[in-house]
Amino acid sequence: MPALWIAHVHVTDADAYGRYAKLAGPAIAAHGGAFVARGGRYVTLEGKDRARHVVAQFPSVEAAEACYHSPEYQEALGHARGASERDLIIVETTE
């Protein structure tokens, strides 16, 4: 069953976060992930507002989780830590 990786992000250091994004994209693609939304317009109806939202679709929850724990993504994530406040979830889709 496909899964969505959903991130809500407040960037505090644009340069460092840019390094994260440059490395994260290829790591996500290498694990079968494809971006559905990356930035773009949004409306916050409830909860904490974060200015950046990213949704990637993966073949499964397991593939998305494997991506997160992969050495390539962890290298990218090292640039995001301290450069952002993030919430990240993986949710299985119904399709």
Side-chain angles (χ1 to χ4, degrees):
M1 187 80 61
L4 298 177
W5 164 313
I6 304 169
H8 305 288
V9 184
H10 170 67
V11 176
T12 57
D13 180 338
D15 291 336
Y17 201 80
R19 290 189 294 275
Y20 157 79
K22 186 174 184 176
L23 295 171
I28 288 168
H31 288 85
F35 291 104
V36 176
R38 198 173 191 185
R41 288 180 32 176
Y42 72 94
V43 176
T44 299
L45 297 175
E46 295 184 20
K48 188 172 185 173
D49 185 41
R50 305 254 173 137
R52 183 163 176 80
H53 307 277
V54 178
V55 180
Q57 185 170 7
F58 284 83
S60 65
V61 168
E62 293 78 13
E65 192 171 3
C67 176
Y68 181 84
H69 294 294
S70 71
E72 300 84 6
Y73 186 77
Q74 288 299 306
E75 179 185 353
L77 191 56
H79 296 285
R81 290 190 176 112
S84 62
E85 298 167 5
R86 301 165 21 111
D87 295 312
L88 176 63
I89 64 164
I90 298 167
V91 62
E92 191 170 62
T93 68
T94 57
E95 296 182 0

